Amino acid sequence: MNTIKVGLIGTGYIGVVHLEILRRLGGVEVVALADPNGDLARRTAERFGVPKVYADAASLIADPEIEVVHDCAPNNAHFDINAGAIRAGKEVLSEKPLALDSGESGALVELAEKHGALTAIDFCYRYYPVVQEAAARARRGDLGVVRAFAGHFLQDWLLFETDYSWRLDPAVAGRANVVADLGSHWCDLVQFVTGQKIVEVMAELHTCVPKRFKPTGGVLSFGAGRAGETEEVDITLDDYAALFLKLENGARGNFTTCQAAAGRKVDIEIQIFGSKESYAWSHVHPNALWIGHREKANEVFYESSSLQAEGTRRYAALPTGHPMGYHDAVYNLFRDFYEAVAAKRDGKPYRANFPDFRTGHEMMRIVDAAVASDRSGRWVNV
Amino acid sequence: MNTIKVGLIGTGYIGVVHLEILRRLGGVEVVALADPNGDLARRTAERFGVPKVYADAASLIADPEIEVVHDCAPNNAHFDINAGAIRAGKEVLSEKPLALDSGESGALVELAEKHGALTAIDFCYRYYPVVQEAAARARRGDLGVVRAFAGHFLQDWLLFETDYSWRLDPAVAGRANVVADLGSHWCDLVQFVTGQKIVEVMAELHTCVPKRFKPTGGVLSFGAGRAGETEEVDITLDDYAALFLKLENGARGNFTTCQAAAGRKVDIEIQIFGSKESYAWSHVHPNALWIGHREKANEVFYESSSLQAEGTRRYAALPTGHPMGYHDAVYNLFRDFYEAVAAKRDGKPYRANFPDFRTGHEMMRIVDAAVASDRSGRWVNV
Amino acid sequence: MNTIKVGLIGTGYIGVVHLEILRRLGGVEVVALADPNGDLARRTAERFGVPKVYADAASLIADPEIEVVHDCAPNNAHFDINAGAIRAGKEVLSEKPLALDSGESGALVELAEKHGALTAIDFCYRYYPVVQEAAARARRGDLGVVRAFAGHFLQDWLLFETDYSWRLDPAVAGRANVVADLGSHWCDLVQFVTGQKIVEVMAELHTCVPKRFKPTGGVLSFGAGRAGETEEVDITLDDYAALFLKLENGARGNFTTCQAAAGRKVDIEIQIFGSKESYAWSHVHPNALWIGHREKANEVFYESSSLQAEGTRRYAALPTGHPMGYHDAVYNLFRDFYEAVAAKRDGKPYRANFPDFRTGHEMMRIVDAAVASDRSGRWVNV
Amino acid sequence: MNTIKVGLIGTGYIGVVHLEILRRLGGVEVVALADPNGDLARRTAERFGVPKVYADAASLIADPEIEVVHDCAPNNAHFDINAGAIRAGKEVLSEKPLALDSGESGALVELAEKHGALTAIDFCYRYYPVVQEAAARARRGDLGVVRAFAGHFLQDWLLFETDYSWRLDPAVAGRANVVADLGSHWCDLVQFVTGQKIVEVMAELHTCVPKRFKPTGGVLSFGAGRAGETEEVDITLDDYAALFLKLENGARGNFTTCQAAAGRKVDIEIQIFGSKESYAWSHVHPNALWIGHREKANEVFYESSSLQAEGTRRYAALPTGHPMGYHDAVYNLFRDFYEAVAAKRDGKPYRANFPDFRTGHEMMRIVDAAVASDRSGRWVNV
């Protein structure tokens, strides 16, 4: 079988998730890894039987065997890697945010169009079966007109002053932390389920923990191994953000995100209120969709390969009642992407219904608008 | 037994709740009702064995036997009734909002102080046992410093264009609908649990349903009996509102309220994030308090007459596990108020720890700030 | 108004619940209390303004003013009080279990029929609005044929060896503890919702905690105040019981009850499986009814004065979303009973749809069958 | 890398789950499939790039390249496949139940010991991270002495008379249906978490749906494609079962299972009551463990790679809050098994802590005891 050859850049937490999911897919093979932390890259390659390890992203991108590049590097490396891979004629699946600002992300969209690259961005939460169900119901009219929406994305891994991450450093993360890291996921869910674009933002970015102790030796994501020396640093980026949002059709929404919410882990909640019914979904119990009604009992729809709306059953792969998890959501996204990659390679038609660099750019524009709104204290167009 | 004599004005839905709860209390007797809808007042008096029915509020207030007035009239009657009762030397328990704006509510606070009246306002949700528990834990330092908070108050009784209420008419309801009706309850919860005042507001008020069909014959609360003739009217007041809030200590919060959220009934949710732990409470299952932690398992505290914090056990009157309901929350508030009334009458010391007209005035100021912020598109001091 | 005059025997925990609920009802007046603990009786009478206190049950029963007797005494006093009250021409509302065994309870049923007494027994859990809803749906055919049912009733107040109660003493409690105290409530729910009688039982009664420390000075329910001297006693009655059950139509059920289930308070769960749909109800969040389906999404029905089935709306007295609690369930039962009492007094027709002494006798027969089955290790007919 | 070579027999639903999970594992390669339905086997091989397809199990077992056999065939083929694979010197991972009765399963245990085969059986539910957590807490003494346990395993795929499965045919499934298929999983959970063996059983097996329409053309699991001709057949095997259980230490338990429970999918619930605390776990939201207490608030423990008990963190592979699903539970079991296989091959020590054929045999003995108990109406020793 002529498998699709993949090179993966960045072998931290999210890089390993990509690796495991790529293994599950049929017809795909990871042939190379790259990470500035060479030891980490080598250990990961050995564990997963990946033949090649490159010292830097550019060398991996230059490998002619590689057809698809996965960009799992930190935010400030995204632009160069994504641009380089497109210019080298690769297809690209990038982690979010797509780049440091919407100038960069806009350039990437243009570049991808120019080169005809297939692109994807890992907004994976929309790939839980019942999130797909909500979107399908909205598309077929069950929701009626969307009027309002609300929710949050809460974590607690930055609760204490002793917690630190590169995401808090503007030089690496860009002009925003939590509104970019978590807010972009949530705004993608809004646009995906409602089918409407976010067009206006009023934002408040806030730093709950203005002083932190930063390890002098560098840190990984999710802050493991903080044993060594630290220095006190001033934090200027947001660890709390609140957004008023408007959709194209005038619907209003409100969103809160925080990384210092004790006890909340990857706690995403979204509620969508239409003129006919409502949807609510929580990532804490991600297989249940609440459907709200006024004139009859509310429903709780559990992921189901038999009851899901047309076109969404493939995302609930197991017999009803076998819970899907985070890995399965990422798998669903990757499968959609690689079906398109395979079809493109074979000259067949394909449907690029996964989130791509245009989606990533839309999210960057929202984040940029949020930063501008916070500075001006006023509503800002996206 | 020399019972405390009560007169109650307004015999709609909330008036009947007051009546039932007053009956449960020992040492208190409802001796008179008044309602412009005389038939309704008479039927209610008969059902509950209330001896006197007055044609108008002023006559009831003038009755010298009455020591305490309950004001359950619509918003636009609150000022006159509350002011009249205070001037007549009565104690007053008023429904919220206290008045049509903070000018009126400020005047009532002054009047009450001048006359030495005991006042209360029916912010009943803080009287569920586990809300008291959250506040007690925050007071004794378990929460650490409050940093952020979020939540919503959602209903669906105004979902359809055929739903109408006097709360949508500025002439009766004042300058705001949902932010006053529901938002005031939520802001009271915030202040009560955190022990901090709300000092700044950024608001968006929005009308999801801008045209409605109004019964030409008038309507009761919660829209029963819409059988008859209607006319189409333009709605200008908010049925959706979003608020960014700041507390005295700089903590940030975000709140969403809507009366067109299909499937949501009296769905209040509040989350408080401190530097040590978090609290979350939902009115849908009101006897459970979620307590969030970073370094150990989260807790779910169920109301308990044995495990509640010191000073709050009296609000969980039954053996643990016998669920308390809305009636019990109102009962708890009334009991606190009438214990103070009885002590004052007997010349004994008392602790007025229930929400009073100062609380009601604070909420009116927040509502006024929200209306001003919505008009200016900017943050406004309370 | 010619109120109905009530005398109440037994002023412990459940007696006070009766008193509070009787106060809420219109047209009813508690005129006398009796309790062997005279101090407790007097303090309670003072607190609630009850004019008469009797030293013993017989004296209260002999009071000609009293029309209705509430029997809140311990199990071993139930027969004499209930029989005496009926013979004295009173109507009777008794706590459960109705008597110490089915011989006694059968005699009470006969006596009540002979004297034409209105009787009720406090199986209050069926009076939560959504339990009524489940029964109404089953009656109108939504459930189809009932095929199976399962559930539990769990508490933890007898978890530790230092917990003791008269319910563990066969001389006071009869031949069974938990299967009688909690099992009878659960079996009443089964019969009420399904409309079928339980006809056969296979039981296991077990003592999880075979030695306990009994206060030498006596104890109240729910074991408050165990400060004093104790003696070690052998426990022979069940604190765990399991029951296989068969209904008239052949449906099978399975039930577990335990008073040593750490963390469970008044945790009742019942699931009913029909040929068309299923119901599940939990007392921990008592206002939600789960309705299970095979070919569409499951439903969660929240108590609702507008959406409940015909004939059950009166039990959801408040606008939808105002949670009902334990007090409201007891109130609903008492209201049904006193409407019948009032109608009988006025010579009007009435519907005695509340649980009465026949229900109590049925439960005693089930408990007796369970005890016999446990001894023989075989199935026993009820 | 010298990968471990695997052959898989049976390519229906559960066979495909095995295939996907085997792909995710490093160091393992599926080299052959076998299924009596040759078309199905070939399509599956093509989809997953498996090089060899055998027409029957025996041929696959005879393939000398294959080191490990996965037995995903129907129950009545388990004995021959498992025995054949062991005799051929393979390691074996079998689906459950291990065989048709405990005579067969006992013989398999002996055979595996004689040949020194590594064996595993797919009791996967114990591999959710928080089930491991519960077991670890019980082992270290947090639970105290286990006293009682209760729960259920409910499904609805056999709700209607038009549902049919080979599991209802004694010739294929053996002497029991649901008590073997689902009951064995639940009993494994009990033994795993408590660390105690089940020693005595009282059972009731019941057929809720005694007549069904069987497709004349045969059926797959979970009954897809029932379009064609059917014939009415009498069902004699159980689709409902209830079990009283005793553990070695005298603890009592009660279990209900049913495949006709409308709205319940793979609804497993288990509660364990110890002398110090309690555990409850539900497969519907499988990442939360409820921990019950008497003298403090209950806890809800969410799977966590940082907070899990020593030795169980590896089963919660992702940062806390990324939900694990069914695939991840199976992955965890497979990984433990293949680490032992790899160690054995390399002559290194290993810890066979996964469920193996002895576990499978214990479950068969419980099922046999249940069948015997149902026939005699008495308790039966395991």
Side-chain angles (χ1 to χ4, degrees):
Chain A
M1 192 167 58
N2 184 12
T3 56
I4 300 168
K5 303 298 185 295
V6 178
L8 188 145
I9 298 163
T11 55
Y13 144 64
I14 195 68
V16 172
V17 170
H18 282 234
L19 267 168
E20 285 219 24
I21 300 307
L22 283 163
R23 289 185 58 85
R24 248 176 89 185
L25 288 170
V28 175
E29 195 176 350
V30 179
V31 297
L33 302 181
D35 196 294
N37 182 336
D39 276 351
L40 182 64
R42 271 185 297 277
R43 282 200 312 273
T44 308
E46 196 169 335
R47 178 174 152 208
F48 288 98
V50 178
K52 294 183 263 191
V53 175
Y54 288 104
D56 54 68
S59 307
L60 183 146
I61 289 168
D63 182 335
E65 184 192 16
I66 291 169
E67 301 168 79
V68 182
V69 169
H70 279 237
D71 178 358
C72 299
N75 301 1
N76 61 340
H78 282 179
F79 179 78
D80 286 348
I81 291 170
N82 291 335
I86 292 170
R87 287 199 190 95
K90 319 295 195 196
E91 326 293 5
V92 190
L93 193 161
S94 177
E95 267 307 312
K96 30 63 56 182
L98 188 50
L100 286 181
D101 58 43
S102 60
E104 286 185 2
S105 62
L108 289 173
V109 169
E110 279 183 34
L111 202 60
E113 279 169 9
K114 184 176 150 198
H115 289 265
L118 265 176
T119 61
I121 184 161
D122 188 18
F123 288 125
C124 54
Y125 297 109
R126 58 155 94 169
Y127 271 100
Y128 281 98
V130 298
V131 176
Q132 294 279 334
E133 173 75 15
R137 284 174 182 241
R139 297 290 178 285
R140 77 181 182 209
D142 296 18
L143 182 66
V145 175
V146 58
R147 288 172 172 169
F149 53 101
H152 57 245
F153 193 155
L154 304 171
Q155 295 183 334
D156 71 356
W157 64 287
L158 292 176
L159 178 68
F160 297 124
E161 293 191 338
T162 44
D163 301 317
Y164 189 79
S165 163
W166 59 259
R167 294 187 181 279
L168 295 164
D169 179 353
V172 189
R175 282 176 289 180
N177 166 35
V178 71
V179 76
D181 186 24
L182 307 189
S184 62
H185 274 300
W186 197 86
C187 291
D188 178 63
L189 285 174
V190 168
Q191 293 201 162
F192 176 66
V193 175
T194 66
Q196 298 270 333
K197 301 297 181 194
I198 292 167
V199 296
E200 206 175 344
V201 176
M202 168 75 210
E204 185 188 22
L205 311 189
H206 178 62
T207 309
C208 289
V209 185
K211 286 200 185 301
R212 289 181 183 270
F213 295 92
K214 178 184 175 179
T216 49
V219 279
L220 300 176
S221 283
F222 290 97
R226 280 157 304 173
E229 291 292 299
T230 62
E231 58 182 326
E232 189 176 301
V233 292
D234 290 330
I235 302 297
T236 56
L237 291 189
D238 52 313
D239 53 22
Y240 165 96
L243 300 181
F244 296 165
L245 298 164
K246 286 185 196 164
L247 300 185
E248 303 169 68
N249 79 339
R252 299 308 205 276
N254 194 9
F255 171 64
T256 314
T257 184
C258 185
Q259 288 159 327
R264 298 304 188 192
K265 309 303 172 181
V266 187
D267 187 331
I268 310 169
E269 186 174 281
I270 184 164
Q271 302 198 55
I272 311 269
F273 305 115
S275 56
K276 293 183 182 169
E277 66 185 25
S278 303
Y279 306 132
W281 178 76
S282 164
H283 186 245
V284 179
H285 295 302
N287 293 299
L289 177 71
W290 179 88
I291 305 170
H293 300 288
R294 158 73 177 276
E295 307 232 274
K296 59 178 179 178
N298 297 328
E299 295 168 90
V300 175
F301 185 93
Y302 202 84
E303 61 74 26
S304 169
S305 47
S306 56
L307 298 182
Q308 300 247 157
E310 202 55 40
T312 74
R313 283 171 207 166
R314 69 196 312 260
Y315 303 114
L318 292 168
T320 313
H322 292 81
M324 309 295 279
Y326 178 79
H327 281 126
D328 300 302
V330 178
Y331 171 85
N332 282 334
L333 188 159
F334 283 22
R335 189 177 56 176
D336 273 8
F337 176 63
Y338 277 97
E339 285 182 4
V341 169
K344 184 185 171 197
R345 193 169 67 163
D346 296 348
K348 291 179 185 161
Y350 55 85
R351 195 170 60 114
N353 62 334
F354 40 83
D356 64 10
F357 279 17
R358 284 167 301 185
T359 320
H361 178 49
E362 287 165 11
M363 294 308 127
M364 287 310 308
R365 289 169 58 94
I366 293 168
V367 171
D368 279 5
V371 171
S373 169
D374 178 62
R375 287 177 186 171
S376 69
R378 310 220 60 143
W379 285 85
V380 171
N381 290 325
V382 173
Chain B
M1 194 166 57
N2 184 11
T3 57
I4 299 168
K5 303 298 185 296
V6 178
L8 188 146
I9 298 162
T11 56
Y13 143 64
I14 196 67
V16 171
V17 170
H18 282 232
L19 267 169
E20 286 220 23
I21 300 307
L22 284 163
R23 287 186 60 85
R24 247 177 90 185
L25 288 170
V28 176
E29 195 177 351
V30 180
V31 298
L33 302 181
D35 197 292
N37 181 337
D39 276 351
L40 182 63
R42 270 184 298 277
R43 282 200 312 273
T44 307
E46 196 169 335
R47 179 175 152 208
F48 288 96
V50 177
K52 294 183 262 191
V53 175
Y54 288 104
D56 55 70
S59 307
L60 183 146
I61 290 168
D63 182 337
E65 183 191 17
I66 291 171
E67 301 167 77
V68 183
V69 169
H70 279 237
D71 178 358
C72 300
N75 301 0
N76 62 339
H78 283 180
F79 180 80
D80 286 347
I81 291 170
N82 291 335
I86 292 169
R87 285 199 192 94
K90 319 294 194 195
E91 325 293 4
V92 190
L93 194 159
S94 177
E95 267 308 311
K96 29 65 55 182
L98 186 51
L100 285 181
D101 58 44
S102 60
E104 285 185 4
S105 61
L108 289 174
V109 169
E110 280 183 34
L111 203 59
E113 279 168 9
K114 184 176 150 197
H115 289 264
L118 264 177
T119 61
I121 183 162
D122 187 18
F123 289 124
C124 53
Y125 297 109
R126 57 155 92 170
Y127 271 100
Y128 281 98
V130 297
V131 176
Q132 294 279 336
E133 173 74 16
R137 283 175 181 239
R139 296 290 177 282
R140 76 181 183 210
D142 296 17
L143 182 67
V145 175
V146 59
R147 288 171 171 172
F149 52 101
H152 56 243
F153 193 156
L154 304 171
Q155 295 182 333
D156 72 356
W157 64 287
L158 291 176
L159 179 67
F160 297 125
E161 293 193 335
T162 44
D163 300 318
Y164 189 79
S165 163
W166 59 260
R167 293 187 182 280
L168 295 164
D169 179 354
V172 187
R175 282 175 289 179
N177 167 35
V178 71
V179 77
D181 185 23
L182 307 189
S184 61
H185 273 300
W186 198 86
C187 291
D188 177 63
L189 286 174
V190 168
Q191 295 201 162
F192 176 66
V193 176
T194 66
Q196 298 270 333
K197 301 297 181 192
I198 292 167
V199 296
E200 206 175 344
V201 175
M202 168 75 211
E204 186 189 20
L205 310 190
H206 178 62
T207 310
C208 290
V209 185
K211 286 200 184 300
R212 291 181 181 271
F213 295 92
K214 177 185 177 178
T216 49
V219 278
L220 299 176
S221 282
F222 292 96
R226 281 157 304 175
E229 291 294 298
T230 62
E231 58 182 325
E232 189 177 301
V233 292
D234 291 329
I235 303 297
T236 56
L237 292 189
D238 52 311
D239 52 23
Y240 165 95
L243 300 182
F244 295 164
L245 298 163
K246 285 185 198 165
L247 300 185
E248 303 168 68
N249 79 339
R252 298 310 206 275
N254 194 10
F255 170 65
T256 314
T257 183
C258 185
Q259 288 159 326
R264 299 303 186 193
K265 308 304 172 182
V266 187
D267 187 331
I268 310 169
E269 187 174 280
I270 184 164
Q271 302 198 56
I272 311 270
F273 304 116
S275 57
K276 294 183 182 169
E277 65 184 27
S278 304
Y279 306 131
W281 178 75
S282 164
H283 187 245
V284 179
H285 296 301
N287 292 299
L289 177 71
W290 179 90
I291 304 170
H293 300 288
R294 157 74 175 278
E295 309 233 272
K296 59 178 181 176
N298 297 326
E299 296 168 90
V300 175
F301 185 95
Y302 204 84
E303 60 75 24
S304 169
S305 46
S306 56
L307 299 182
Q308 299 249 156
E310 204 53 42
T312 73
R313 283 172 206 162
R314 69 196 312 259
Y315 303 114
L318 293 167
T320 313
H322 292 81
M324 311 294 280
Y326 177 81
H327 281 125
D328 300 302
V330 178
Y331 171 85
N332 282 335
L333 189 158
F334 283 22
R335 189 178 56 175
D336 272 8
F337 176 64
Y338 277 97
E339 286 182 4
V341 170
K344 184 185 171 194
R345 193 169 67 164
D346 296 348
K348 292 181 184 161
Y350 53 87
R351 194 170 61 115
N353 62 336
F354 41 83
D356 65 10
F357 278 18
R358 284 167 301 184
T359 320
H361 177 49
E362 285 164 12
M363 294 308 126
M364 286 312 306
R365 288 170 59 93
I366 294 167
V367 170
D368 279 5
V371 170
S373 169
D374 177 63
R375 286 177 187 169
S376 68
R378 310 219 61 143
W379 285 85
V380 171
N381 290 325
V382 173
Chain C
M1 193 167 57
N2 184 11
T3 56
I4 299 168
K5 303 298 185 295
V6 178
L8 188 146
I9 298 164
T11 56
Y13 143 64
I14 196 67
V16 171
V17 170
H18 281 235
L19 268 169
E20 287 221 20
I21 300 308
L22 284 163
R23 288 186 59 85
R24 247 177 92 186
L25 288 170
V28 176
E29 195 178 350
V30 180
V31 298
L33 301 181
D35 197 293
N37 182 337
D39 275 352
L40 182 64
R42 271 183 298 276
R43 283 199 311 274
T44 308
E46 197 169 335
R47 178 174 153 209
F48 288 98
V50 178
K52 293 183 262 190
V53 175
Y54 288 104
D56 54 70
S59 308
L60 183 145
I61 289 169
D63 182 336
E65 184 191 16
I66 291 170
E67 301 168 78
V68 182
V69 169
H70 279 237
D71 179 357
C72 299
N75 301 1
N76 62 340
H78 283 179
F79 179 79
D80 285 347
I81 291 171
N82 291 335
I86 292 170
R87 286 200 191 96
K90 319 295 194 194
E91 326 291 5
V92 189
L93 194 161
S94 178
E95 268 306 313
K96 33 60 60 181
L98 187 50
L100 286 182
D101 59 43
S102 61
E104 285 185 3
S105 61
L108 290 173
V109 170
E110 277 183 36
L111 203 61
E113 277 169 10
K114 184 177 150 195
H115 288 265
L118 265 176
T119 62
I121 183 160
D122 187 18
F123 288 124
C124 54
Y125 297 108
R126 59 155 92 170
Y127 271 100
Y128 280 98
V130 296
V131 176
Q132 294 279 334
E133 173 74 16
R137 284 175 181 239
R139 297 289 178 283
R140 77 182 182 209
D142 296 18
L143 181 66
V145 175
V146 58
R147 287 172 173 171
F149 53 101
H152 57 244
F153 193 154
L154 303 170
Q155 295 183 333
D156 71 357
W157 64 288
L158 292 176
L159 179 67
F160 297 125
E161 292 192 336
T162 43
D163 300 319
Y164 189 79
S165 163
W166 59 260
R167 293 187 182 279
L168 295 164
D169 180 354
V172 188
R175 282 175 289 178
N177 166 34
V178 71
V179 76
D181 186 23
L182 307 188
S184 61
H185 273 301
W186 198 85
C187 291
D188 178 63
L189 286 174
V190 168
Q191 294 200 162
F192 176 66
V193 175
T194 66
Q196 299 270 333
K197 300 297 180 192
I198 291 168
V199 295
E200 206 175 344
V201 176
M202 168 76 212
E204 187 190 20
L205 310 189
H206 178 62
T207 310
C208 290
V209 185
K211 287 200 184 299
R212 290 182 182 272
F213 296 91
K214 177 183 174 178
T216 49
V219 280
L220 298 177
S221 282
F222 291 96
R226 281 156 304 172
E229 291 293 299
T230 61
E231 57 182 327
E232 189 176 300
V233 292
D234 290 328
I235 303 297
T236 56
L237 291 189
D238 52 309
D239 52 22
Y240 165 95
L243 299 182
F244 296 165
L245 299 163
K246 285 186 197 164
L247 300 185
E248 301 169 70
N249 79 339
R252 299 309 204 275
N254 194 9
F255 170 64
T256 313
T257 183
C258 185
Q259 288 159 327
R264 299 303 187 193
K265 309 303 173 186
V266 187
D267 187 330
I268 309 169
E269 186 174 282
I270 184 166
Q271 303 198 53
I272 312 269
F273 305 116
S275 57
K276 293 183 182 170
E277 65 184 27
S278 303
Y279 306 132
W281 178 75
S282 164
H283 186 244
V284 178
H285 295 301
N287 293 299
L289 177 71
W290 179 89
I291 304 170
H293 300 288
R294 156 75 176 275
E295 309 232 273
K296 60 179 180 176
N298 297 326
E299 296 168 89
V300 175
F301 185 94
Y302 203 84
E303 62 75 25
S304 168
S305 47
S306 55
L307 298 182
Q308 299 248 156
E310 203 54 41
T312 74
R313 284 171 206 163
R314 69 197 311 260
Y315 303 113
L318 293 167
T320 313
H322 292 80
M324 311 294 280
Y326 177 81
H327 281 127
D328 300 302
V330 178
Y331 171 85
N332 282 335
L333 189 159
F334 283 21
R335 188 177 57 176
D336 272 8
F337 175 64
Y338 278 97
E339 286 183 5
V341 170
K344 184 185 171 196
R345 194 168 69 164
D346 296 350
K348 291 179 185 163
Y350 54 87
R351 195 169 61 113
N353 62 334
F354 40 83
D356 64 10
F357 279 16
R358 285 167 301 184
T359 320
H361 178 49
E362 286 165 11
M363 294 307 127
M364 285 311 305
R365 289 170 59 94
I366 293 168
V367 170
D368 279 4
V371 171
S373 169
D374 177 62
R375 288 178 185 170
S376 69
R378 309 217 63 141
W379 285 85
V380 171
N381 289 326
V382 173
Chain D
M1 194 166 56
N2 185 11
T3 56
I4 299 168
K5 304 299 184 296
V6 178
L8 188 146
I9 298 163
T11 55
Y13 142 65
I14 196 68
V16 172
V17 170
H18 282 234
L19 268 168
E20 287 220 22
I21 299 308
L22 284 163
R23 288 186 60 85
R24 248 177 89 185
L25 288 170
V28 177
E29 195 176 349
V30 180
V31 298
L33 302 181
D35 197 294
N37 182 337
D39 276 353
L40 181 63
R42 272 184 296 278
R43 284 201 311 275
T44 308
E46 198 169 335
R47 179 175 151 209
F48 287 97
V50 178
K52 293 183 266 191
V53 174
Y54 288 105
D56 53 70
S59 307
L60 183 146
I61 289 169
D63 182 336
E65 184 192 17
I66 291 170
E67 300 168 78
V68 183
V69 170
H70 280 235
D71 179 357
C72 300
N75 300 2
N76 61 340
H78 283 180
F79 180 79
D80 285 347
I81 290 170
N82 291 336
I86 292 170
R87 286 200 190 95
K90 320 295 195 196
E91 326 292 6
V92 190
L93 194 162
S94 178
E95 268 306 315
K96 32 62 57 182
L98 187 50
L100 286 181
D101 58 43
S102 61
E104 286 185 2
S105 61
L108 289 173
V109 168
E110 279 183 34
L111 203 59
E113 279 170 9
K114 183 176 150 196
H115 288 265
L118 266 176
T119 61
I121 184 160
D122 188 19
F123 288 124
C124 54
Y125 297 109
R126 56 155 94 170
Y127 272 99
Y128 281 98
V130 298
V131 177
Q132 294 280 333
E133 173 75 15
R137 285 175 180 239
R139 296 290 177 284
R140 76 180 184 211
D142 296 18
L143 182 66
V145 175
V146 58
R147 288 172 172 170
F149 53 101
H152 57 244
F153 193 155
L154 303 171
Q155 295 183 333
D156 71 356
W157 63 287
L158 292 176
L159 178 68
F160 297 125
E161 293 192 336
T162 44
D163 301 318
Y164 189 79
S165 163
W166 59 261
R167 293 185 183 280
L168 294 165
D169 180 353
V172 187
R175 281 176 289 179
N177 166 35
V178 72
V179 76
D181 186 23
L182 307 188
S184 61
H185 273 300
W186 198 85
C187 291
D188 178 63
L189 286 173
V190 168
Q191 295 200 162
F192 176 67
V193 175
T194 65
Q196 299 270 332
K197 300 297 180 194
I198 291 167
V199 295
E200 206 176 342
V201 175
M202 168 75 211
E204 186 189 20
L205 311 189
H206 179 62
T207 310
C208 289
V209 185
K211 286 198 185 301
R212 289 181 182 272
F213 296 92
K214 176 185 176 179
T216 49
V219 279
L220 299 176
S221 283
F222 291 96
R226 281 158 303 172
E229 291 294 298
T230 61
E231 56 181 328
E232 188 176 301
V233 292
D234 289 330
I235 303 297
T236 56
L237 291 189
D238 53 311
D239 53 21
Y240 166 95
L243 300 181
F244 295 165
L245 299 164
K246 286 185 197 165
L247 300 185
E248 303 168 68
N249 79 339
R252 299 310 205 273
N254 193 10
F255 171 64
T256 314
T257 184
C258 185
Q259 288 159 327
R264 298 304 187 191
K265 308 304 174 183
V266 187
D267 186 330
I268 309 169
E269 187 174 281
I270 183 164
Q271 302 198 54
I272 311 270
F273 305 115
S275 56
K276 293 183 182 170
E277 65 185 26
S278 303
Y279 306 132
W281 178 74
S282 164
H283 186 243
V284 178
H285 295 303
N287 293 299
L289 177 71
W290 179 88
I291 303 169
H293 299 288
R294 157 72 178 276
E295 309 232 273
K296 60 179 181 177
N298 296 327
E299 296 168 89
V300 175
F301 185 94
Y302 204 83
E303 61 75 27
S304 167
S305 47
S306 56
L307 298 182
Q308 298 249 158
E310 203 55 39
T312 74
R313 284 172 205 162
R314 69 196 313 258
Y315 303 114
L318 293 167
T320 313
H322 292 81
M324 311 293 281
Y326 177 80
H327 281 125
D328 300 303
V330 178
Y331 172 85
N332 282 336
L333 188 158
F334 283 21
R335 188 177 57 174
D336 272 8
F337 176 64
Y338 277 97
E339 285 183 4
V341 170
K344 184 186 171 195
R345 194 168 68 164
D346 296 349
K348 291 180 184 159
Y350 53 87
R351 197 169 59 115
N353 62 335
F354 39 85
D356 64 11
F357 278 18
R358 284 167 301 185
T359 320
H361 177 49
E362 286 165 12
M363 294 306 128
M364 285 310 308
R365 288 169 59 93
I366 294 167
V367 170
D368 280 5
V371 170
S373 169
D374 178 62
R375 286 179 188 168
S376 69
R378 309 217 64 140
W379 285 84
V380 172
N381 289 326
V382 173

